Amino acid sequence: MKIRSAVALMLALLVGTGMAQTNNTFSVYTGYTMSAFEDQEDAAGTLPLGIQFGFNVAPNVEVGLEAFNAIGGYKFEADFFGVETETAFNSTIISGYGKYYVSQANLSPFIKAGVGYFLGDANIKMSYMGEEEEDDMKIDPAIGFILGAGVDFNKNFFAEFNYNIVSRKSGEDTDEGDFELMKSAAEDESDDSWGMNAWTIKVGYRFQL
């Protein structure tokens, strides 16, 4: 709870700082995002959708707030002795960030760092001999970090690469259903955090406010 309060305070300070500035921006973006989970055998990718509110606090420095969602989640498929499974790890990130622009030219590279609140549960679908079942698995929210770099084009278009670093716990408070064996195994490991890193390539458009 203390960590969540600290993040909320940080975001409030960013908003307060930005509102005092005159050169603020609103951006929308999409692109491609891919999982880099701990011990994953295959990677899963999907389209992201996000927004950024940017506040120029110095000629080459921007701070801001960002909301990110991996549309449909990172989906993994597997087949265990005829039981087909599809697990979608939903991912939403609410974060604060800072960008440093190398120049103020029409083509301006930048570096980025941020801290975010990572949330989203997993949806599990199982199919066996024509019968299908679906259930949700709780994944605890966590604080993570964001590193990135990119380039602005003509002050409006931008391209950006982000790498998200976070560890989260799973298996607690899973919904009731028929996946008792799966839940039992998850609960046995619920005290262990596991890496749920991901990378994202973003392309977007910035509006001047």
Side-chain angles (χ1 to χ4, degrees), residues 118-151:
F118 291 67
L119 61 158
D121 296 332
N123 176 262
I124 305 169
K125 296 179 181 179
M126 299 181 69
S127 176
Y128 180 68
M129 298 182 66
E131 295 186 5
E132 296 183 355
E133 293 194 43
E134 184 175 345
D135 207 349
D136 294 323
M137 185 174 69
K138 172 72 175 179
I139 303 178
D140 293 341
I143 302 298
F145 301 94
I146 302 165
L147 301 176
V151 62

PDB file of all heavy atoms in Angstrom, residues 118-151:
ATOM      1  N   PHE A 118       2.036  -1.998 -12.946  1.00  0.00           N
ATOM      2  CA  PHE A 118       1.710  -3.044 -13.910  1.00  0.00           C
ATOM      3  C   PHE A 118       0.564  -3.894 -13.363  1.00  0.00           C
ATOM      4  O   PHE A 118       0.650  -4.406 -12.241  1.00  0.00           O
ATOM      5  CB  PHE A 118       2.925  -3.947 -14.153  1.00  0.00           C
ATOM      6  CG  PHE A 118       4.054  -3.288 -14.899  1.00  0.00           C
ATOM      7  CD1 PHE A 118       4.784  -2.241 -14.321  1.00  0.00           C
ATOM      8  CD2 PHE A 118       4.412  -3.711 -16.168  1.00  0.00           C
ATOM      9  CE1 PHE A 118       5.833  -1.636 -14.995  1.00  0.00           C
ATOM     10  CE2 PHE A 118       5.465  -3.116 -16.857  1.00  0.00           C
ATOM     11  CZ  PHE A 118       6.172  -2.074 -16.261  1.00  0.00           C
ATOM     12  N   LEU A 119      -0.485  -4.090 -14.151  1.00  0.00           N
ATOM     13  CA  LEU A 119      -1.630  -4.874 -13.714  1.00  0.00           C
ATOM     14  C   LEU A 119      -2.225  -5.643 -14.880  1.00  0.00           C
ATOM     15  O   LEU A 119      -1.908  -5.379 -16.040  1.00  0.00           O
ATOM     16  CB  LEU A 119      -2.681  -4.000 -13.042  1.00  0.00           C
ATOM     17  CG  LEU A 119      -3.336  -2.885 -13.867  1.00  0.00           C
ATOM     18  CD1 LEU A 119      -4.685  -2.514 -13.251  1.00  0.00           C
ATOM     19  CD2 LEU A 119      -2.459  -1.635 -13.868  1.00  0.00           C
ATOM     20  N   GLY A 120      -3.100  -6.592 -14.553  1.00  0.00           N
ATOM     21  CA  GLY A 120      -3.719  -7.443 -15.566  1.00  0.00           C
ATOM     22  C   GLY A 120      -3.601  -8.898 -15.172  1.00  0.00           C
ATOM     23  O   GLY A 120      -2.528  -9.361 -14.766  1.00  0.00           O
ATOM     24  N   ASP A 121      -4.697  -9.639 -15.273  1.00  0.00           N
ATOM     25  CA  ASP A 121      -4.723 -11.050 -14.909  1.00  0.00           C
ATOM     26  C   ASP A 121      -4.535 -11.920 -16.156  1.00  0.00           C
ATOM     27  O   ASP A 121      -4.347 -11.417 -17.261  1.00  0.00           O
ATOM     28  CB  ASP A 121      -6.041 -11.394 -14.212  1.00  0.00           C
ATOM     29  CG  ASP A 121      -6.194 -10.644 -12.895  1.00  0.00           C
ATOM     30  OD1 ASP A 121      -5.170 -10.320 -12.282  1.00  0.00           O
ATOM     31  OD2 ASP A 121      -7.345 -10.386 -12.491  1.00  0.00           O
ATOM     32  N   ALA A 122      -4.595 -13.229 -15.953  1.00  0.00           N
ATOM     33  CA  ALA A 122      -4.470 -14.171 -17.059  1.00  0.00           C
ATOM     34  C   ALA A 122      -5.801 -14.862 -17.301  1.00  0.00           C
ATOM     35  O   ALA A 122      -6.520 -15.207 -16.361  1.00  0.00           O
ATOM     36  CB  ALA A 122      -3.391 -15.210 -16.765  1.00  0.00           C
ATOM     37  N   ASN A 123      -6.128 -15.070 -18.577  1.00  0.00           N
ATOM     38  CA  ASN A 123      -7.321 -15.806 -18.973  1.00  0.00           C
ATOM     39  C   ASN A 123      -6.882 -17.134 -19.584  1.00  0.00           C
ATOM     40  O   ASN A 123      -6.053 -17.164 -20.487  1.00  0.00           O
ATOM     41  CB  ASN A 123      -8.148 -15.007 -19.977  1.00  0.00           C
ATOM     42  CG  ASN A 123      -9.345 -15.775 -20.487  1.00  0.00           C
ATOM     43  OD1 ASN A 123      -9.306 -16.363 -21.555  1.00  0.00           O
ATOM     44  ND2 ASN A 123     -10.426 -15.768 -19.723  1.00  0.00           N
ATOM     45  N   ILE A 124      -7.436 -18.237 -19.066  1.00  0.00           N
ATOM     46  CA  ILE A 124      -7.019 -19.573 -19.492  1.00  0.00           C
ATOM     47  C   ILE A 124      -8.187 -20.278 -20.169  1.00  0.00           C
ATOM     48  O   ILE A 124      -9.274 -20.384 -19.597  1.00  0.00           O
ATOM     49  CB  ILE A 124      -6.554 -20.417 -18.289  1.00  0.00           C
ATOM     50  CG1 ILE A 124      -5.457 -19.682 -17.515  1.00  0.00           C
ATOM     51  CG2 ILE A 124      -6.056 -21.784 -18.753  1.00  0.00           C
ATOM     52  CD1 ILE A 124      -5.136 -20.307 -16.182  1.00  0.00           C
ATOM     53  N   LYS A 125      -7.963 -20.759 -21.400  1.00  0.00           N
ATOM     54  CA  LYS A 125      -8.956 -21.542 -22.128  1.00  0.00           C
ATOM     55  C   LYS A 125      -8.390 -22.942 -22.350  1.00  0.00           C
ATOM     56  O   LYS A 125      -7.236 -23.096 -22.758  1.00  0.00           O
ATOM     57  CB  LYS A 125      -9.279 -20.890 -23.471  1.00  0.00           C
ATOM     58  CG  LYS A 125      -9.926 -19.514 -23.359  1.00  0.00           C
ATOM     59  CD  LYS A 125     -10.196 -18.928 -24.741  1.00  0.00           C
ATOM     60  CE  LYS A 125     -10.822 -17.546 -24.651  1.00  0.00           C
ATOM     61  NZ  LYS A 125     -11.071 -16.954 -25.986  1.00  0.00           N
ATOM     62  N   MET A 126      -9.231 -23.966 -22.080  1.00  0.00           N
ATOM     63  CA  MET A 126      -8.812 -25.347 -22.257  1.00  0.00           C
ATOM     64  C   MET A 126      -9.837 -26.086 -23.097  1.00  0.00           C
ATOM     65  O   MET A 126     -11.041 -25.875 -22.951  1.00  0.00           O
ATOM     66  CB  MET A 126      -8.642 -26.046 -20.906  1.00  0.00           C
ATOM     67  CG  MET A 126      -7.603 -25.410 -20.012  1.00  0.00           C
ATOM     68  SD  MET A 126      -7.403 -26.276 -18.435  1.00  0.00           S
ATOM     69  CE  MET A 126      -6.652 -27.807 -19.009  1.00  0.00           C
ATOM     70  N   SER A 127      -9.348 -26.941 -23.989  1.00  0.00           N
ATOM     71  CA  SER A 127     -10.222 -27.716 -24.860  1.00  0.00           C
ATOM     72  C   SER A 127      -9.750 -29.168 -24.883  1.00  0.00           C
ATOM     73  O   SER A 127      -8.561 -29.443 -25.089  1.00  0.00           O
ATOM     74  CB  SER A 127     -10.194 -27.130 -26.276  1.00  0.00           C
ATOM     75  OG  SER A 127     -10.966 -27.926 -27.165  1.00  0.00           O
ATOM     76  N   TYR A 128     -10.726 -30.107 -24.678  1.00  0.00           N
ATOM     77  CA  TYR A 128     -10.393 -31.531 -24.684  1.00  0.00           C
ATOM     78  C   TYR A 128     -11.585 -32.331 -25.185  1.00  0.00           C
ATOM     79  O   TYR A 128     -12.677 -32.242 -24.631  1.00  0.00           O
ATOM     80  CB  TYR A 128     -10.003 -32.002 -23.283  1.00  0.00           C
ATOM     81  CG  TYR A 128      -9.647 -33.468 -23.215  1.00  0.00           C
ATOM     82  CD1 TYR A 128      -8.497 -33.956 -23.835  1.00  0.00           C
ATOM     83  CD2 TYR A 128     -10.468 -34.377 -22.539  1.00  0.00           C
ATOM     84  CE1 TYR A 128      -8.167 -35.299 -23.780  1.00  0.00           C
ATOM     85  CE2 TYR A 128     -10.147 -35.720 -22.482  1.00  0.00           C
ATOM     86  CZ  TYR A 128      -8.998 -36.172 -23.106  1.00  0.00           C
ATOM     87  OH  TYR A 128      -8.681 -37.512 -23.051  1.00  0.00           O
ATOM     88  N   MET A 129     -11.380 -33.057 -26.286  1.00  0.00           N
ATOM     89  CA  MET A 129     -12.408 -33.917 -26.861  1.00  0.00           C
ATOM     90  C   MET A 129     -13.718 -33.158 -27.110  1.00  0.00           C
ATOM     91  O   MET A 129     -14.807 -33.624 -26.768  1.00  0.00           O
ATOM     92  CB  MET A 129     -12.659 -35.135 -25.960  1.00  0.00           C
ATOM     93  CG  MET A 129     -11.419 -36.028 -25.792  1.00  0.00           C
ATOM     94  SD  MET A 129     -11.733 -37.497 -24.783  1.00  0.00           S
ATOM     95  CE  MET A 129     -12.912 -38.356 -25.879  1.00  0.00           C
ATOM     96  N   GLY A 130     -13.578 -31.957 -27.652  1.00  0.00           N
ATOM     97  CA  GLY A 130     -14.748 -31.159 -28.008  1.00  0.00           C
ATOM     98  C   GLY A 130     -15.340 -30.342 -26.884  1.00  0.00           C
ATOM     99  O   GLY A 130     -16.254 -29.553 -27.114  1.00  0.00           O
ATOM    100  N   GLU A 131     -14.845 -30.520 -25.658  1.00  0.00           N
ATOM    101  CA  GLU A 131     -15.352 -29.738 -24.526  1.00  0.00           C
ATOM    102  C   GLU A 131     -14.383 -28.601 -24.219  1.00  0.00           C
ATOM    103  O   GLU A 131     -13.167 -28.790 -24.234  1.00  0.00           O
ATOM    104  CB  GLU A 131     -15.532 -30.633 -23.301  1.00  0.00           C
ATOM    105  CG  GLU A 131     -16.589 -31.710 -23.474  1.00  0.00           C
ATOM    106  CD  GLU A 131     -16.840 -32.475 -22.187  1.00  0.00           C
ATOM    107  OE1 GLU A 131     -16.251 -32.085 -21.152  1.00  0.00           O
ATOM    108  OE2 GLU A 131     -17.607 -33.446 -22.225  1.00  0.00           O
ATOM    109  N   GLU A 132     -14.956 -27.442 -23.932  1.00  0.00           N
ATOM    110  CA  GLU A 132     -14.145 -26.266 -23.658  1.00  0.00           C
ATOM    111  C   GLU A 132     -14.495 -25.668 -22.305  1.00  0.00           C
ATOM    112  O   GLU A 132     -15.659 -25.683 -21.891  1.00  0.00           O
ATOM    113  CB  GLU A 132     -14.342 -25.209 -24.750  1.00  0.00           C
ATOM    114  CG  GLU A 132     -13.877 -25.656 -26.132  1.00  0.00           C
ATOM    115  CD  GLU A 132     -14.017 -24.557 -27.164  1.00  0.00           C
ATOM    116  OE1 GLU A 132     -14.577 -23.484 -26.804  1.00  0.00           O
ATOM    117  OE2 GLU A 132     -13.593 -24.757 -28.312  1.00  0.00           O
ATOM    118  N   GLU A 133     -13.487 -25.150 -21.630  1.00  0.00           N
ATOM    119  CA  GLU A 133     -13.688 -24.442 -20.367  1.00  0.00           C
ATOM    120  C   GLU A 133     -12.794 -23.212 -20.349  1.00  0.00           C
ATOM    121  O   GLU A 133     -11.784 -23.150 -21.048  1.00  0.00           O
ATOM    122  CB  GLU A 133     -13.358 -25.359 -19.184  1.00  0.00           C
ATOM    123  CG  GLU A 133     -14.324 -26.522 -19.025  1.00  0.00           C
ATOM    124  CD  GLU A 133     -14.175 -27.190 -17.670  1.00  0.00           C
ATOM    125  OE1 GLU A 133     -14.043 -26.437 -16.686  1.00  0.00           O
ATOM    126  OE2 GLU A 133     -14.185 -28.418 -17.617  1.00  0.00           O
ATOM    127  N   GLU A 134     -13.190 -22.255 -19.545  1.00  0.00           N
ATOM    128  CA  GLU A 134     -12.464 -20.994 -19.461  1.00  0.00           C
ATOM    129  C   GLU A 134     -12.451 -20.512 -18.023  1.00  0.00           C
ATOM    130  O   GLU A 134     -13.434 -20.668 -17.290  1.00  0.00           O
ATOM    131  CB  GLU A 134     -13.120 -19.952 -20.366  1.00  0.00           C
ATOM    132  CG  GLU A 134     -12.389 -18.624 -20.423  1.00  0.00           C
ATOM    133  CD  GLU A 134     -13.010 -17.675 -21.437  1.00  0.00           C
ATOM    134  OE1 GLU A 134     -13.817 -18.153 -22.271  1.00  0.00           O
ATOM    135  OE2 GLU A 134     -12.685 -16.480 -21.404  1.00  0.00           O
ATOM    136  N   ASP A 135     -11.342 -19.955 -17.604  1.00  0.00           N
ATOM    137  CA  ASP A 135     -11.224 -19.467 -16.236  1.00  0.00           C
ATOM    138  C   ASP A 135     -10.193 -18.335 -16.212  1.00  0.00           C
ATOM    139  O   ASP A 135      -9.456 -18.130 -17.175  1.00  0.00           O
ATOM    140  CB  ASP A 135     -10.796 -20.593 -15.287  1.00  0.00           C
ATOM    141  CG  ASP A 135     -11.285 -20.359 -13.864  1.00  0.00           C
ATOM    142  OD1 ASP A 135     -11.760 -19.245 -13.584  1.00  0.00           O
ATOM    143  OD2 ASP A 135     -11.179 -21.281 -13.045  1.00  0.00           O
ATOM    144  N   ASP A 136     -10.165 -17.597 -15.101  1.00  0.00           N
ATOM    145  CA  ASP A 136      -9.206 -16.516 -14.918  1.00  0.00           C
ATOM    146  C   ASP A 136      -8.258 -16.848 -13.777  1.00  0.00           C
ATOM    147  O   ASP A 136      -8.650 -17.496 -12.807  1.00  0.00           O
ATOM    148  CB  ASP A 136      -9.908 -15.188 -14.619  1.00  0.00           C
ATOM    149  CG  ASP A 136     -10.729 -14.704 -15.797  1.00  0.00           C
ATOM    150  OD1 ASP A 136     -10.290 -14.898 -16.939  1.00  0.00           O
ATOM    151  OD2 ASP A 136     -11.813 -14.134 -15.567  1.00  0.00           O
ATOM    152  N   MET A 137      -7.021 -16.404 -13.897  1.00  0.00           N
ATOM    153  CA  MET A 137      -6.038 -16.577 -12.849  1.00  0.00           C
ATOM    154  C   MET A 137      -5.532 -15.213 -12.401  1.00  0.00           C
ATOM    155  O   MET A 137      -5.129 -14.393 -13.224  1.00  0.00           O
ATOM    156  CB  MET A 137      -4.851 -17.435 -13.315  1.00  0.00           C
ATOM    157  CG  MET A 137      -3.861 -17.724 -12.197  1.00  0.00           C
ATOM    158  SD  MET A 137      -2.557 -18.893 -12.706  1.00  0.00           S
ATOM    159  CE  MET A 137      -1.634 -17.904 -13.872  1.00  0.00           C
ATOM    160  N   LYS A 138      -5.589 -14.990 -11.102  1.00  0.00           N
ATOM    161  CA  LYS A 138      -5.164 -13.721 -10.537  1.00  0.00           C
ATOM    162  C   LYS A 138      -3.656 -13.566 -10.632  1.00  0.00           C
ATOM    163  O   LYS A 138      -2.902 -14.495 -10.339  1.00  0.00           O
ATOM    164  CB  LYS A 138      -5.595 -13.655  -9.063  1.00  0.00           C
ATOM    165  CG  LYS A 138      -5.061 -12.468  -8.291  1.00  0.00           C
ATOM    166  CD  LYS A 138      -5.728 -11.175  -8.699  1.00  0.00           C
ATOM    167  CE  LYS A 138      -5.268 -10.020  -7.822  1.00  0.00           C
ATOM    168  NZ  LYS A 138      -5.891  -8.740  -8.230  1.00  0.00           N
ATOM    169  N   ILE A 139      -3.208 -12.384 -11.067  1.00  0.00           N
ATOM    170  CA  ILE A 139      -1.792 -12.018 -11.033  1.00  0.00           C
ATOM    171  C   ILE A 139      -1.699 -10.684 -10.294  1.00  0.00           C
ATOM    172  O   ILE A 139      -2.324  -9.702 -10.688  1.00  0.00           O
ATOM    173  CB  ILE A 139      -1.192 -11.891 -12.438  1.00  0.00           C
ATOM    174  CG1 ILE A 139      -1.364 -13.198 -13.220  1.00  0.00           C
ATOM    175  CG2 ILE A 139       0.292 -11.522 -12.346  1.00  0.00           C
ATOM    176  CD1 ILE A 139      -0.835 -13.133 -14.628  1.00  0.00           C
ATOM    177  N   ASP A 140      -0.949 -10.669  -9.212  1.00  0.00           N
ATOM    178  CA  ASP A 140      -0.877  -9.469  -8.385  1.00  0.00           C
ATOM    179  C   ASP A 140      -0.233  -8.310  -9.143  1.00  0.00           C
ATOM    180  O   ASP A 140       0.780  -8.504  -9.834  1.00  0.00           O
ATOM    181  CB  ASP A 140      -0.065  -9.741  -7.117  1.00  0.00           C
ATOM    182  CG  ASP A 140      -0.753 -10.727  -6.189  1.00  0.00           C
ATOM    183  OD1 ASP A 140      -1.977 -10.911  -6.340  1.00  0.00           O
ATOM    184  OD2 ASP A 140      -0.073 -11.315  -5.325  1.00  0.00           O
ATOM    185  N   PRO A 141      -0.774  -7.102  -9.001  1.00  0.00           N
ATOM    186  CA  PRO A 141      -0.124  -5.925  -9.596  1.00  0.00           C
ATOM    187  C   PRO A 141       1.253  -5.707  -8.972  1.00  0.00           C
ATOM    188  O   PRO A 141       1.537  -6.177  -7.869  1.00  0.00           O
ATOM    189  CB  PRO A 141      -1.088  -4.778  -9.251  1.00  0.00           C
ATOM    190  CG  PRO A 141      -2.390  -5.442  -8.938  1.00  0.00           C
ATOM    191  CD  PRO A 141      -2.037  -6.764  -8.327  1.00  0.00           C
ATOM    192  N   ALA A 142       2.107  -4.965  -9.668  1.00  0.00           N
ATOM    193  CA  ALA A 142       3.454  -4.707  -9.166  1.00  0.00           C
ATOM    194  C   ALA A 142       4.004  -3.422  -9.763  1.00  0.00           C
ATOM    195  O   ALA A 142       3.530  -2.939 -10.795  1.00  0.00           O
ATOM    196  CB  ALA A 142       4.382  -5.877  -9.497  1.00  0.00           C
ATOM    197  N   ILE A 143       5.007  -2.891  -9.090  1.00  0.00           N
ATOM    198  CA  ILE A 143       5.728  -1.725  -9.592  1.00  0.00           C
ATOM    199  C   ILE A 143       6.883  -2.205 -10.463  1.00  0.00           C
ATOM    200  O   ILE A 143       7.610  -3.135 -10.105  1.00  0.00           O
ATOM    201  CB  ILE A 143       6.278  -0.872  -8.434  1.00  0.00           C
ATOM    202  CG1 ILE A 143       5.128  -0.421  -7.515  1.00  0.00           C
ATOM    203  CG2 ILE A 143       7.036   0.338  -8.969  1.00  0.00           C
ATOM    204  CD1 ILE A 143       4.103   0.442  -8.193  1.00  0.00           C
ATOM    205  N   GLY A 144       7.037  -1.608 -11.631  1.00  0.00           N
ATOM    206  CA  GLY A 144       8.117  -1.972 -12.540  1.00  0.00           C
ATOM    207  C   GLY A 144       8.760  -0.741 -13.147  1.00  0.00           C
ATOM    208  O   GLY A 144       8.384   0.403 -12.848  1.00  0.00           O
ATOM    209  N   PHE A 145       9.728  -0.981 -14.013  1.00  0.00           N
ATOM    210  CA  PHE A 145      10.517   0.105 -14.594  1.00  0.00           C
ATOM    211  C   PHE A 145      10.497   0.034 -16.119  1.00  0.00           C
ATOM    212  O   PHE A 145      10.323  -1.034 -16.704  1.00  0.00           O
ATOM    213  CB  PHE A 145      11.954   0.045 -14.072  1.00  0.00           C
ATOM    214  CG  PHE A 145      12.036   0.143 -12.579  1.00  0.00           C
ATOM    215  CD1 PHE A 145      12.088  -1.010 -11.810  1.00  0.00           C
ATOM    216  CD2 PHE A 145      12.024   1.368 -11.951  1.00  0.00           C
ATOM    217  CE1 PHE A 145      12.147  -0.931 -10.428  1.00  0.00           C
ATOM    218  CE2 PHE A 145      12.073   1.464 -10.567  1.00  0.00           C
ATOM    219  CZ  PHE A 145      12.133   0.303  -9.806  1.00  0.00           C
ATOM    220  N   ILE A 146      10.675   1.186 -16.744  1.00  0.00           N
ATOM    221  CA  ILE A 146      10.606   1.315 -18.198  1.00  0.00           C
ATOM    222  C   ILE A 146      11.844   2.057 -18.686  1.00  0.00           C
ATOM    223  O   ILE A 146      12.149   3.154 -18.196  1.00  0.00           O
ATOM    224  CB  ILE A 146       9.334   2.077 -18.619  1.00  0.00           C
ATOM    225  CG1 ILE A 146       8.093   1.358 -18.093  1.00  0.00           C
ATOM    226  CG2 ILE A 146       9.272   2.226 -20.133  1.00  0.00           C
ATOM    227  CD1 ILE A 146       6.839   2.199 -18.135  1.00  0.00           C
ATOM    228  N   LEU A 147      12.555   1.453 -19.622  1.00  0.00           N
ATOM    229  CA  LEU A 147      13.709   2.090 -20.261  1.00  0.00           C
ATOM    230  C   LEU A 147      13.433   2.183 -21.750  1.00  0.00           C
ATOM    231  O   LEU A 147      12.855   1.260 -22.337  1.00  0.00           O
ATOM    232  CB  LEU A 147      14.974   1.287 -20.006  1.00  0.00           C
ATOM    233  CG  LEU A 147      15.370   1.071 -18.545  1.00  0.00           C
ATOM    234  CD1 LEU A 147      16.593   0.159 -18.460  1.00  0.00           C
ATOM    235  CD2 LEU A 147      15.651   2.406 -17.848  1.00  0.00           C
ATOM    236  N   GLY A 148      13.855   3.287 -22.356  1.00  0.00           N
ATOM    237  CA  GLY A 148      13.552   3.417 -23.778  1.00  0.00           C
ATOM    238  C   GLY A 148      14.374   4.478 -24.476  1.00  0.00           C
ATOM    239  O   GLY A 148      15.139   5.228 -23.858  1.00  0.00           O
ATOM    240  N   ALA A 149      14.195   4.514 -25.782  1.00  0.00           N
ATOM    241  CA  ALA A 149      14.835   5.525 -26.625  1.00  0.00           C
ATOM    242  C   ALA A 149      13.998   5.660 -27.888  1.00  0.00           C
ATOM    243  O   ALA A 149      13.220   4.767 -28.237  1.00  0.00           O
ATOM    244  CB  ALA A 149      16.268   5.123 -26.970  1.00  0.00           C
ATOM    245  N   GLY A 150      14.147   6.795 -28.548  1.00  0.00           N
ATOM    246  CA  GLY A 150      13.358   7.003 -29.755  1.00  0.00           C
ATOM    247  C   GLY A 150      13.782   8.246 -30.489  1.00  0.00           C
ATOM    248  O   GLY A 150      14.843   8.821 -30.235  1.00  0.00           O
ATOM    249  N   VAL A 151      12.920   8.668 -31.404  1.00  0.00           N
ATOM    250  CA  VAL A 151      13.208   9.852 -32.203  1.00  0.00           C
ATOM    251  C   VAL A 151      11.899  10.549 -32.550  1.00  0.00           C
ATOM    252  O   VAL A 151      10.881   9.906 -32.810  1.00  0.00           O
ATOM    253  CB  VAL A 151      14.002   9.472 -33.473  1.00  0.00           C
ATOM    254  CG1 VAL A 151      13.194   8.525 -34.362  1.00  0.00           C
ATOM    255  CG2 VAL A 151      14.437  10.709 -34.239  1.00  0.00           C
TER     256      VAL A 151
END
